[in-house]
Amino acid sequence: DTAVSQTPKYLVTQMGNDKSIKCEQNLGHDTMYWYKQDSKKFLKIMFSYNNKELIINETVPNRFSPKSPDKAHLNLHINSLELGDSAVYFCASSPLVGRQGAYEQYFGPGTRLTVT
Amino acid sequence: QQQVKQSPQSLIVQKGGISIINCAYENTAFDYFPWYQQFPGKGPALLIAIRPDVSEKKEGRFTISFNKSAKQFSLHIMDSQPGDSATYFCAASISNTGKLIFGQGTTLQVKP
């Protein structure tokens, strides 16, 4: 009965590799997000999708590419990984942005990415 | 202008005491102010939220106080318990964008 799930939970990889993180939500929400939490615990939004359409794209290197095959899934693909990409990545979802009550965002458990 | 400033960075409170965390913002277009609680190894979870048309909202031991003119809001945890030990984040959003701007976080330790 997990609401927002992410895989994998831990990801250790070398610089230059390409990796993906998967996210799925079973809340019936229309909007999904990716956040990055750095070593100082600072949380920053990266992307947001509304019904598979990109609506927020912060100043994120284009090595990061989100993909939403359907409204229940939002995956994050990272090319040419760098040391600075090491962080915890959180997926979140909410009801459709703009609708009443569309404020509450539900976060997944996070994926800890370590680039060596 | 998109920043939310949170203080203190860390807080130690005795069991039964009151924990107070403060946040300030600049953008007057923000219209939704949630607080999130994060335990180690977990994702943030919504704790309580307020809209700027009210000055206070209480849910159990948790209260948000909101001062629109000062552009400040705070979280009060009454009768703090060791189980409240976590990192707390304030945030602000323009609600029709879905974009949450988080404060820097406060690590709360409640001593037994």
Short mmCIF file of all heavy atoms in Angstrom, two decimals, chain B residues 34-94:
data_model
loop_
_atom_site.label_atom_id
_atom_site.label_comp_id
_atom_site.label_asym_id
_atom_site.label_seq_id
_atom_site.Cartn_x
_atom_site.Cartn_y
_atom_site.Cartn_z
N PRO B 34 3.44 25.32 4.06
CA PRO B 34 3.41 24.04 4.78
C PRO B 34 4.67 23.83 5.62
O PRO B 34 5.72 24.46 5.40
CB PRO B 34 3.38 23.03 3.63
CG PRO B 34 4.17 23.69 2.54
CD PRO B 34 3.95 25.19 2.70
N TRP B 35 4.54 22.95 6.57
CA TRP B 35 5.69 22.47 7.33
C TRP B 35 5.80 20.96 7.09
O TRP B 35 4.80 20.24 7.12
CB TRP B 35 5.50 22.73 8.83
CG TRP B 35 5.71 24.15 9.21
CD1 TRP B 35 4.78 25.15 9.21
CD2 TRP B 35 6.93 24.75 9.65
NE1 TRP B 35 5.34 26.33 9.62
CE2 TRP B 35 6.66 26.12 9.90
CE3 TRP B 35 8.23 24.27 9.87
CZ2 TRP B 35 7.64 27.01 10.36
CZ3 TRP B 35 9.19 25.15 10.33
CH2 TRP B 35 8.89 26.51 10.56
N TYR B 36 7.03 20.55 6.86
CA TYR B 36 7.30 19.13 6.65
C TYR B 36 8.21 18.61 7.75
O TYR B 36 9.08 19.33 8.26
CB TYR B 36 7.96 18.91 5.28
CG TYR B 36 6.99 18.90 4.13
CD1 TYR B 36 6.50 20.10 3.59
CD2 TYR B 36 6.52 17.71 3.59
CE1 TYR B 36 5.59 20.09 2.54
CE2 TYR B 36 5.62 17.69 2.53
CZ TYR B 36 5.17 18.88 2.02
OH TYR B 36 4.26 18.87 0.98
N GLN B 37 8.00 17.34 8.07
CA GLN B 37 8.81 16.66 9.09
C GLN B 37 9.54 15.52 8.39
O GLN B 37 8.95 14.76 7.61
CB GLN B 37 7.87 16.09 10.17
CG GLN B 37 8.54 15.35 11.30
CD GLN B 37 7.50 14.68 12.20
OE1 GLN B 37 6.65 13.92 11.73
NE2 GLN B 37 7.57 14.97 13.49
N GLN B 38 10.84 15.42 8.65
CA GLN B 38 11.63 14.37 8.02
C GLN B 38 12.44 13.61 9.06
O GLN B 38 13.25 14.21 9.78
CB GLN B 38 12.56 14.95 6.95
CG GLN B 38 13.33 13.88 6.18
CD GLN B 38 14.24 14.46 5.12
OE1 GLN B 38 14.70 15.60 5.21
NE2 GLN B 38 14.51 13.68 4.08
N PHE B 39 12.22 12.31 9.12
CA PHE B 39 13.02 11.45 9.97
C PHE B 39 14.20 10.90 9.16
O PHE B 39 14.12 10.80 7.92
CB PHE B 39 12.18 10.30 10.53
CG PHE B 39 11.13 10.75 11.50
CD1 PHE B 39 9.80 10.83 11.13
CD2 PHE B 39 11.48 11.13 12.79
CE1 PHE B 39 8.82 11.25 12.04
CE2 PHE B 39 10.52 11.56 13.70
CZ PHE B 39 9.18 11.63 13.31
N PRO B 40 15.30 10.55 9.84
CA PRO B 40 16.47 10.05 9.11
C PRO B 40 16.13 8.87 8.21
O PRO B 40 15.42 7.94 8.61
CB PRO B 40 17.41 9.62 10.24
CG PRO B 40 17.04 10.47 11.41
CD PRO B 40 15.55 10.65 11.29
N GLY B 41 16.58 8.95 6.97
CA GLY B 41 16.36 7.87 6.02
C GLY B 41 14.97 7.83 5.42
O GLY B 41 14.64 6.89 4.68
N LYS B 42 14.16 8.83 5.71
CA LYS B 42 12.79 8.87 5.19
C LYS B 42 12.58 10.13 4.35
O LYS B 42 13.37 11.08 4.41
CB LYS B 42 11.78 8.87 6.35
CG LYS B 42 11.93 7.71 7.30
CD LYS B 42 11.56 6.40 6.66
CE LYS B 42 11.61 5.25 7.67
NZ LYS B 42 11.32 3.94 7.03
N GLY B 43 11.49 10.11 3.61
CA GLY B 43 11.12 11.31 2.88
C GLY B 43 10.38 12.29 3.76
O GLY B 43 9.81 11.91 4.79
N PRO B 44 10.37 13.57 3.39
CA PRO B 44 9.60 14.55 4.15
C PRO B 44 8.12 14.20 4.13
O PRO B 44 7.60 13.70 3.12
CB PRO B 44 9.86 15.86 3.40
CG PRO B 44 11.09 15.61 2.59
CD PRO B 44 11.06 14.17 2.25
N ALA B 45 7.45 14.48 5.23
CA ALA B 45 6.01 14.23 5.33
C ALA B 45 5.32 15.51 5.79
O ALA B 45 5.80 16.18 6.71
CB ALA B 45 5.72 13.09 6.30
N LEU B 46 4.22 15.83 5.14
CA LEU B 46 3.48 17.04 5.49
C LEU B 46 2.97 16.94 6.92
O LEU B 46 2.33 15.96 7.31
CB LEU B 46 2.31 17.24 4.54
CG LEU B 46 1.45 18.47 4.79
CD1 LEU B 46 2.25 19.74 4.56
CD2 LEU B 46 0.21 18.45 3.90
N LEU B 47 3.25 17.99 7.69
CA LEU B 47 2.87 18.02 9.10
C LEU B 47 1.63 18.89 9.30
O LEU B 47 0.63 18.48 9.86
CB LEU B 47 4.04 18.58 9.91
CG LEU B 47 4.01 18.51 11.42
CD1 LEU B 47 3.95 17.08 11.90
CD2 LEU B 47 5.25 19.21 11.99
N ILE B 48 1.70 20.09 8.81
CA ILE B 48 0.63 21.07 8.96
C ILE B 48 0.89 22.18 7.96
O ILE B 48 2.03 22.41 7.58
CB ILE B 48 0.59 21.60 10.42
CG1 ILE B 48 -0.60 22.51 10.69
CG2 ILE B 48 1.90 22.28 10.79
CD1 ILE B 48 -0.75 22.90 12.17
N ALA B 49 -0.18 22.84 7.52
CA ALA B 49 -0.01 23.91 6.54
C ALA B 49 -1.01 25.02 6.82
O ALA B 49 -2.04 24.80 7.48
CB ALA B 49 -0.21 23.38 5.13
N ILE B 50 -0.70 26.22 6.32
CA ILE B 50 -1.56 27.36 6.55
C ILE B 50 -1.64 28.22 5.30
O ILE B 50 -0.70 28.25 4.50
CB ILE B 50 -1.05 28.19 7.76
CG1 ILE B 50 -2.12 29.12 8.31
CG2 ILE B 50 0.22 28.98 7.40
CD1 ILE B 50 -1.77 29.73 9.67
N ARG B 51 -2.76 28.88 5.12
CA ARG B 51 -2.92 29.87 4.07
C ARG B 51 -2.84 31.25 4.72
O ARG B 51 -3.14 31.40 5.91
CB ARG B 51 -4.28 29.69 3.37
CG ARG B 51 -4.51 28.34 2.76
CD ARG B 51 -3.59 28.09 1.57
NE ARG B 51 -3.73 29.06 0.50
CZ ARG B 51 -4.66 29.00 -0.44
NH1 ARG B 51 -5.56 28.04 -0.43
NH2 ARG B 51 -4.68 29.92 -1.40
N PRO B 52 -2.50 32.29 3.99
CA PRO B 52 -2.27 33.60 4.60
C PRO B 52 -3.52 34.32 5.08
O PRO B 52 -3.41 35.40 5.66
CB PRO B 52 -1.57 34.39 3.48
CG PRO B 52 -1.91 33.69 2.23
CD PRO B 52 -2.11 32.26 2.57
N ASP B 53 -4.69 33.74 4.85
CA ASP B 53 -5.91 34.41 5.33
C ASP B 53 -6.23 34.09 6.79
O ASP B 53 -7.21 34.61 7.33
CB ASP B 53 -7.10 34.06 4.43
CG ASP B 53 -7.26 32.57 4.21
OD1 ASP B 53 -6.35 31.81 4.60
OD2 ASP B 53 -8.29 32.15 3.66
N VAL B 54 -5.42 33.25 7.42
CA VAL B 54 -5.59 32.98 8.85
C VAL B 54 -4.27 33.24 9.56
O VAL B 54 -3.20 33.15 8.96
CB VAL B 54 -6.06 31.53 9.13
CG1 VAL B 54 -7.42 31.28 8.51
CG2 VAL B 54 -5.06 30.52 8.62
N SER B 55 -4.35 33.58 10.85
CA SER B 55 -3.14 33.92 11.59
C SER B 55 -2.61 32.75 12.41
O SER B 55 -1.47 32.78 12.88
CB SER B 55 -3.40 35.11 12.51
OG SER B 55 -4.44 34.78 13.43
N GLU B 56 -3.44 31.74 12.59
CA GLU B 56 -2.99 30.61 13.38
C GLU B 56 -3.75 29.36 12.98
O GLU B 56 -4.94 29.40 12.67
CB GLU B 56 -3.21 30.90 14.88
CG GLU B 56 -2.65 29.84 15.81
CD GLU B 56 -2.79 30.22 17.27
OE1 GLU B 56 -1.99 31.04 17.74
OE2 GLU B 56 -3.71 29.69 17.93
N LYS B 57 -3.04 28.24 13.02
CA LYS B 57 -3.69 26.96 12.78
C LYS B 57 -3.09 25.94 13.74
O LYS B 57 -1.87 25.87 13.88
CB LYS B 57 -3.49 26.50 11.34
CG LYS B 57 -4.21 25.20 11.01
CD LYS B 57 -4.11 24.87 9.55
CE LYS B 57 -4.85 23.59 9.22
NZ LYS B 57 -4.75 23.25 7.78
N LYS B 58 -3.95 25.17 14.37
CA LYS B 58 -3.50 24.22 15.37
C LYS B 58 -3.97 22.83 15.02
O LYS B 58 -5.13 22.62 14.68
CB LYS B 58 -4.04 24.63 16.75
CG LYS B 58 -3.56 23.77 17.88
CD LYS B 58 -4.07 24.29 19.22
CE LYS B 58 -3.57 23.43 20.36
NZ LYS B 58 -4.04 23.93 21.68
N GLU B 59 -3.06 21.88 15.11
CA GLU B 59 -3.42 20.47 14.94
C GLU B 59 -2.68 19.67 16.01
O GLU B 59 -1.48 19.47 15.93
CB GLU B 59 -3.04 19.97 13.54
CG GLU B 59 -3.90 20.53 12.43
CD GLU B 59 -3.58 19.96 11.05
OE1 GLU B 59 -2.72 19.07 10.96
OE2 GLU B 59 -4.19 20.43 10.07
N GLY B 60 -3.45 19.30 17.02
CA GLY B 60 -2.84 18.57 18.13
C GLY B 60 -1.81 19.42 18.84
O GLY B 60 -2.10 20.55 19.24
N ARG B 61 -0.60 18.92 18.96
CA ARG B 61 0.46 19.68 19.64
C ARG B 61 1.18 20.66 18.72
O ARG B 61 2.07 21.38 19.18
CB ARG B 61 1.47 18.68 20.23
CG ARG B 61 0.88 17.79 21.32
CD ARG B 61 1.95 16.88 21.94
NE ARG B 61 2.49 15.90 20.99
CZ ARG B 61 3.71 15.96 20.48
NH1 ARG B 61 4.53 16.95 20.81
NH2 ARG B 61 4.12 15.03 19.65
N PHE B 62 0.82 20.67 17.46
CA PHE B 62 1.51 21.50 16.47
C PHE B 62 0.67 22.72 16.10
O PHE B 62 -0.51 22.59 15.78
CB PHE B 62 1.83 20.68 15.21
CG PHE B 62 2.69 19.48 15.47
CD1 PHE B 62 2.12 18.25 15.78
CD2 PHE B 62 4.07 19.59 15.45
CE1 PHE B 62 2.92 17.15 16.02
CE2 PHE B 62 4.88 18.49 15.69
CZ PHE B 62 4.30 17.27 15.99
N THR B 63 1.29 23.89 16.15
CA THR B 63 0.60 25.15 15.82
C THR B 63 1.47 25.95 14.88
O THR B 63 2.68 26.10 15.10
CB THR B 63 0.33 25.97 17.09
OG1 THR B 63 -0.50 25.21 17.98
CG2 THR B 63 -0.38 27.28 16.74
N ILE B 64 0.84 26.47 13.82
CA ILE B 64 1.51 27.45 12.96
C ILE B 64 0.96 28.82 13.33
O ILE B 64 -0.26 29.03 13.38
CB ILE B 64 1.24 27.22 11.47
CG1 ILE B 64 1.71 25.85 11.01
CG2 ILE B 64 1.94 28.30 10.64
CD1 ILE B 64 1.40 25.60 9.53
N SER B 65 1.88 29.76 13.55
CA SER B 65 1.51 31.16 13.71
C SER B 65 1.98 31.90 12.48
O SER B 65 3.11 31.71 12.02
CB SER B 65 2.17 31.76 14.96
OG SER B 65 1.71 31.10 16.11
N PHE B 66 1.10 32.75 11.93
CA PHE B 66 1.41 33.41 10.67
C PHE B 66 1.24 34.92 10.82
O PHE B 66 0.20 35.39 11.28
CB PHE B 66 0.49 32.88 9.57
CG PHE B 66 0.84 33.36 8.19
CD1 PHE B 66 1.82 32.72 7.46
CD2 PHE B 66 0.21 34.46 7.64
CE1 PHE B 66 2.16 33.16 6.19
CE2 PHE B 66 0.54 34.91 6.38
CZ PHE B 66 1.52 34.26 5.65
N ASN B 67 2.27 35.67 10.45
CA ASN B 67 2.23 37.14 10.52
C ASN B 67 2.45 37.66 9.11
O ASN B 67 3.57 37.76 8.63
CB ASN B 67 3.31 37.65 11.46
CG ASN B 67 3.24 39.15 11.67
OD1 ASN B 67 2.80 39.90 10.79
ND2 ASN B 67 3.65 39.59 12.84
N LYS B 68 1.33 38.00 8.46
CA LYS B 68 1.40 38.39 7.06
C LYS B 68 2.16 39.70 6.86
O LYS B 68 2.95 39.84 5.93
CB LYS B 68 -0.02 38.53 6.49
CG LYS B 68 -0.08 38.74 5.00
CD LYS B 68 -1.52 38.70 4.52
CE LYS B 68 -1.60 38.89 3.01
NZ LYS B 68 -3.01 38.82 2.55
N SER B 69 1.96 40.64 7.75
CA SER B 69 2.60 41.96 7.58
C SER B 69 4.12 41.84 7.75
O SER B 69 4.89 42.53 7.08
CB SER B 69 2.03 42.97 8.56
OG SER B 69 2.25 42.53 9.89
N ALA B 70 4.54 40.96 8.64
CA ALA B 70 5.97 40.77 8.86
C ALA B 70 6.57 39.75 7.90
O ALA B 70 7.79 39.57 7.87
CB ALA B 70 6.23 40.35 10.30
N LYS B 71 5.72 39.07 7.16
CA LYS B 71 6.15 38.00 6.25
C LYS B 71 6.95 36.94 7.01
O LYS B 71 8.06 36.56 6.61
CB LYS B 71 6.91 38.58 5.06
CG LYS B 71 6.01 39.38 4.12
CD LYS B 71 6.74 39.88 2.89
CE LYS B 71 7.57 41.08 3.21
NZ LYS B 71 8.19 41.70 2.02
N GLN B 72 6.36 36.52 8.12
CA GLN B 72 7.00 35.51 8.95
C GLN B 72 5.97 34.47 9.38
O GLN B 72 4.78 34.79 9.54
CB GLN B 72 7.63 36.16 10.19
CG GLN B 72 8.78 37.10 9.87
CD GLN B 72 9.30 37.81 11.11
OE1 GLN B 72 8.67 37.80 12.17
NE2 GLN B 72 10.47 38.42 10.99
N PHE B 73 6.43 33.26 9.58
CA PHE B 73 5.56 32.24 10.15
C PHE B 73 6.41 31.29 10.98
O PHE B 73 7.63 31.19 10.77
CB PHE B 73 4.75 31.49 9.07
CG PHE B 73 5.55 30.82 8.00
CD1 PHE B 73 5.59 29.43 7.94
CD2 PHE B 73 6.23 31.54 7.03
CE1 PHE B 73 6.29 28.79 6.93
CE2 PHE B 73 6.95 30.91 6.03
CZ PHE B 73 6.98 29.53 5.98
N SER B 74 5.77 30.66 11.93
CA SER B 74 6.54 29.83 12.85
C SER B 74 5.76 28.57 13.22
O SER B 74 4.52 28.54 13.13
CB SER B 74 6.91 30.61 14.11
OG SER B 74 5.73 31.05 14.76
N LEU B 75 6.51 27.57 13.60
CA LEU B 75 5.95 26.31 14.07
C LEU B 75 6.22 26.18 15.55
O LEU B 75 7.36 26.34 15.99
CB LEU B 75 6.57 25.13 13.32
CG LEU B 75 6.14 23.73 13.77
CD1 LEU B 75 4.68 23.47 13.39
CD2 LEU B 75 7.05 22.66 13.16
N HIS B 76 5.17 25.92 16.30
CA HIS B 76 5.31 25.66 17.73
C HIS B 76 4.93 24.21 18.00
O HIS B 76 3.84 23.77 17.57
CB HIS B 76 4.38 26.57 18.54
CG HIS B 76 4.77 28.01 18.52
ND1 HIS B 76 4.81 28.77 17.38
CD2 HIS B 76 5.14 28.83 19.54
CE1 HIS B 76 5.18 29.99 17.67
NE2 HIS B 76 5.39 30.07 18.96
N ILE B 77 5.81 23.50 18.67
CA ILE B 77 5.51 22.14 19.08
C ILE B 77 5.37 22.15 20.60
O ILE B 77 6.36 22.36 21.32
CB ILE B 77 6.59 21.13 18.64
CG1 ILE B 77 6.84 21.25 17.13
CG2 ILE B 77 6.17 19.71 19.01
CD1 ILE B 77 8.01 20.39 16.64
N MET B 78 4.16 21.97 21.06
CA MET B 78 3.91 21.97 22.50
C MET B 78 4.20 20.59 23.08
O MET B 78 4.08 19.58 22.37
CB MET B 78 2.45 22.34 22.77
CG MET B 78 1.95 23.56 22.03
SD MET B 78 2.87 25.06 22.46
CE MET B 78 2.25 25.30 24.12
N ASP B 79 4.57 20.56 24.37
CA ASP B 79 4.81 19.28 25.05
C ASP B 79 5.69 18.38 24.17
O ASP B 79 5.34 17.25 23.85
CB ASP B 79 3.47 18.60 25.35
CG ASP B 79 3.62 17.35 26.19
OD1 ASP B 79 4.61 17.26 26.94
OD2 ASP B 79 2.76 16.46 26.08
N SER B 80 6.83 18.91 23.76
CA SER B 80 7.71 18.18 22.84
C SER B 80 8.10 16.81 23.43
O SER B 80 8.35 16.68 24.63
CB SER B 80 8.98 19.00 22.58
OG SER B 80 8.64 20.23 21.95
N GLN B 81 8.13 15.82 22.54
CA GLN B 81 8.43 14.45 22.92
C GLN B 81 9.66 13.94 22.18
O GLN B 81 9.95 14.41 21.07
CB GLN B 81 7.24 13.55 22.60
CG GLN B 81 5.96 13.91 23.32
CD GLN B 81 6.10 13.74 24.82
OE1 GLN B 81 6.59 12.71 25.31
NE2 GLN B 81 5.68 14.76 25.57
N PRO B 82 10.37 12.98 22.74
CA PRO B 82 11.54 12.43 22.03
C PRO B 82 11.20 11.96 20.62
O PRO B 82 12.03 12.06 19.72
CB PRO B 82 11.98 11.28 22.94
CG PRO B 82 11.56 11.70 24.31
CD PRO B 82 10.25 12.42 24.11
N GLY B 83 9.99 11.46 20.42
CA GLY B 83 9.56 11.02 19.09
C GLY B 83 9.41 12.16 18.09
O GLY B 83 9.27 11.90 16.90
N ASP B 84 9.45 13.39 18.58
CA ASP B 84 9.40 14.55 17.68
C ASP B 84 10.77 14.88 17.10
O ASP B 84 10.88 15.75 16.23
CB ASP B 84 8.88 15.79 18.42
CG ASP B 84 7.45 15.62 18.92
OD1 ASP B 84 6.68 14.87 18.29
OD2 ASP B 84 7.12 16.24 19.96
N SER B 85 11.80 14.22 17.61
CA SER B 85 13.16 14.48 17.13
C SER B 85 13.24 14.14 15.64
O SER B 85 13.02 13.00 15.23
CB SER B 85 14.17 13.65 17.92
OG SER B 85 14.16 14.00 19.29
N ALA B 86 13.52 15.15 14.85
CA ALA B 86 13.49 15.03 13.39
C ALA B 86 14.01 16.34 12.82
O ALA B 86 14.34 17.27 13.55
CB ALA B 86 12.07 14.76 12.91
N THR B 87 14.05 16.41 11.49
CA THR B 87 14.35 17.67 10.82
C THR B 87 13.04 18.26 10.32
O THR B 87 12.23 17.56 9.71
CB THR B 87 15.32 17.46 9.65
OG1 THR B 87 16.54 16.90 10.15
CG2 THR B 87 15.64 18.79 8.98
N TYR B 88 12.86 19.53 10.58
CA TYR B 88 11.63 20.23 10.19
C TYR B 88 11.95 21.26 9.12
O TYR B 88 12.92 22.02 9.24
CB TYR B 88 10.99 20.90 11.41
CG TYR B 88 10.45 19.87 12.39
CD1 TYR B 88 11.31 19.27 13.30
CD2 TYR B 88 9.12 19.50 12.38
CE1 TYR B 88 10.85 18.29 14.18
CE2 TYR B 88 8.64 18.54 13.26
CZ TYR B 88 9.52 17.94 14.15
OH TYR B 88 9.05 16.98 15.02
N PHE B 89 11.13 21.26 8.10
CA PHE B 89 11.30 22.21 7.00
C PHE B 89 10.04 23.06 6.87
O PHE B 89 8.93 22.53 6.81
CB PHE B 89 11.50 21.49 5.67
CG PHE B 89 12.77 20.70 5.56
CD1 PHE B 89 12.81 19.37 5.90
CD2 PHE B 89 13.95 21.31 5.12
CE1 PHE B 89 13.97 18.63 5.81
CE2 PHE B 89 15.12 20.59 5.02
CZ PHE B 89 15.13 19.25 5.36
N CYS B 90 10.23 24.36 6.82
CA CYS B 90 9.13 25.20 6.38
C CYS B 90 9.23 25.33 4.86
O CYS B 90 10.29 25.06 4.28
CB CYS B 90 9.17 26.58 7.04
SG CYS B 90 10.62 27.57 6.62
N ALA B 91 8.16 25.72 4.26
CA ALA B 91 8.15 25.90 2.81
C ALA B 91 7.11 26.94 2.45
O ALA B 91 6.26 27.31 3.26
CB ALA B 91 7.86 24.58 2.09
N ALA B 92 7.22 27.43 1.24
CA ALA B 92 6.25 28.39 0.73
C ALA B 92 6.01 28.10 -0.74
O ALA B 92 6.90 27.59 -1.44
CB ALA B 92 6.74 29.82 0.92
N SER B 93 4.83 28.44 -1.17
CA SER B 93 4.47 28.13 -2.55
C SER B 93 3.43 29.11 -3.06
O SER B 93 2.64 29.66 -2.29
CB SER B 93 3.90 26.71 -2.61
OG SER B 93 3.34 26.43 -3.87
N ILE B 94 3.47 29.33 -4.36
CA ILE B 94 2.33 29.93 -5.03
C ILE B 94 1.50 28.75 -5.48
O ILE B 94 1.93 27.96 -6.33
CB ILE B 94 2.78 30.79 -6.22
CG1 ILE B 94 3.73 31.89 -5.75
CG2 ILE B 94 1.58 31.39 -6.95
CD1 ILE B 94 4.43 32.64 -6.87
#
